[in-house]
Amino acid sequence: MSDALPPSDDADHADADRGFIAALTPGVVKASDGRVVWDNDVYGFLEADCPGTAHPSLWRQSGLCARQGLYEVTEGVYQVRGLDLSNMTIVEGERGVIVVDPLISAETAAAALALYREHRGDRPVTGLIYTHSHGDHFGGARGVLPHGTEEGVPVIAPAGFLEHAASENVYAGGAMGRRASYMYGVMLPKSAEGQIGVGLGQGTSVGAFTLVPPTVDITRTGQEETVDGVRVLFQLTPGTEAPAEMNFLFPDHRALCLAENATHTMHNVLTLRGALVRDARIWARYLDEAIEYFHGRYDVAFASHHWPTWGHDNAVRFLTEQRDLYAYLHDQTLRMLNDGLTGAEIAETIEFPPALAKSWHGRGYYGSLSHNSKAVYQRYLGWFDGNPAHLWEHPPVELARRYVDVAGGPAQAVAKARTYADAGDLRFAATLLNHVVFADPGHAEAKALLADVYTRLGQGSENATWRNFYLTGAKELREGARTEIVDLASPEVLMALTVPMLLDSLAIRVDGPRAWDDDLTIDLIVTGPDAEQVRHRLTLHHGALTHREIARPRTPAGLVLTLTKPQLLGVIAGRGLDGVETTGDQGLLARLFSYLTRTDPNFPIVTP
């Protein structure tokens, strides 16, 4: 994995340090109960030379990302970096400040704003902008707009923001959170042998995950809004790094925000924690549009991660290379796909042209050329590669037992795997040992050797998320499954969801087989803040919970609940029907809830 590095270039180091005002000292953020939710000081070891336990390119990237503090981007525009996975940008207006992307946790966002105020004055928050629908760009909202302070403050987001924030953070939140603990190395020690960053930043905070719902939607490119006297010109970029995302220009500051569409790494077309497959073709086209649309109107380009790029020509060069990266990835994958290569074969074959490969910001610290090309393949052709042998394979445990049997039993398979590992073929050693572990989870020698192989693979990886996956897998093999994740479905996030989204979140928890033979109907008459009422009909039939809005019921429901949205959240949380007007058989609600499942955030990944 240690292919040739780009030529030495100090420009990134100079840009990462440019505009530095002050750091948070110590670089630690705590919750009100004293619990540490962020510690950037723990990465001090990155100041040393790269050891043999890390890829030198990733070590360089992590050292750049670990810089922490308040920075001036240009007059009136500031960033706080190194206090969470993402950056918080602060733009000074006539009366106060506009906050762009308030980090993951309320605590880190509050600390970032306090650092700004310490050096620039105690200005109120007069606007809030979410660049896109990922949690590291809105979760800390209450840290900058506490309850009771949001009245009259515009909260701006791209069209579709709330829907996609819900679908990503709530619908698949259980599995995604578990895999995110691997991707971000949450349980790994922060050290030269363990987690050294994630390529996009250093890690994720673990404080209160919140959401202030948007009040202003950006629905088209060219839409301009003025917030606290600051003009903002928007470019809508749906389907790029997020389903709902936007770039925007501060014309009077000559500063361009690129959201997460262009950062100092190759990004993910499909993130390893899981998400919708992104469209590399559209991604490239929106970057191309940004080059032309904003041409000549900015002197600095900054993003929601990493450090800015100063100088219009430098920024255009940066954007051009990022555009070409995603376009080349997309087009070459399609070319080879149409020549009959499978996703795995394309991943082994594709390579960037030298001019892109030597750009530090095109390296695979967060995304990778290997798994991104597989993602493009998946977007067009799905999981099946066309080979009928792969159409109906046994599930992992049964397949593993047969592989181990073919190898001559667990002892023979482990011995052969050790031979491959000693010869440097760590990839096949991992494959073979994984089969042994799934066939015989109690085989201590296989687990220990597989943990060692994963450690070697991880410490040799240039990609931070691969490193974290391998090292977390090794840790779990040695110590068992345990994780710490942020609750993405926090009460405030749930409150921001629409009623149909809340009902969807119930539907995906129904244990279908147990509910096969039941048939029930419940109507929810939900009273809104303006006293308007909307009737939602829930039907459980054939194990599927469906729902729709109805004006007048053609047939009566077995139970009718008249309630507000907060009361609905209370009912879903199991707090009973206090204050809820009911008509019909209340036992139907208990029946419905009896079919709902709860996910275990510690489900196994590297063992059956």
Side-chain angles (χ1 to χ4, degrees), residues 160-175:
F161 168 88
L162 201 56
E163 175 187 354
H164 293 296
S167 63
E168 181 154 313
N169 295 303
V170 177
Y171 295 166

Side-chain angles (χ1 to χ4, degrees), residues 47-111:
E47 296 176 8
D49 291 339
C50 181
T53 55
H55 193 292
S57 179
L58 179 58
W59 189 265
R60 172 188 184 274
Q61 178 78 354
S62 295
L64 288 165
C65 291
R67 286 159 161 79
Q68 179 262 112
L70 174 67
Y71 295 80
E72 183 181 46
V73 176
T74 189
E75 185 177 357
V77 181
Y78 298 83
Q79 281 192 319
V80 180
R81 304 200 287 270
L83 287 188
D84 214 320
L85 178 65
S86 48
N87 301 333
M88 189 165 88
T89 303
I90 299 168
V91 182
E92 295 177 348
E94 294 176 352
R95 298 180 295 105
V97 294
I98 303 163
V99 171
V100 180
D101 286 354
L103 309 181
I104 294 176
S105 301
E107 294 88 345
T108 54

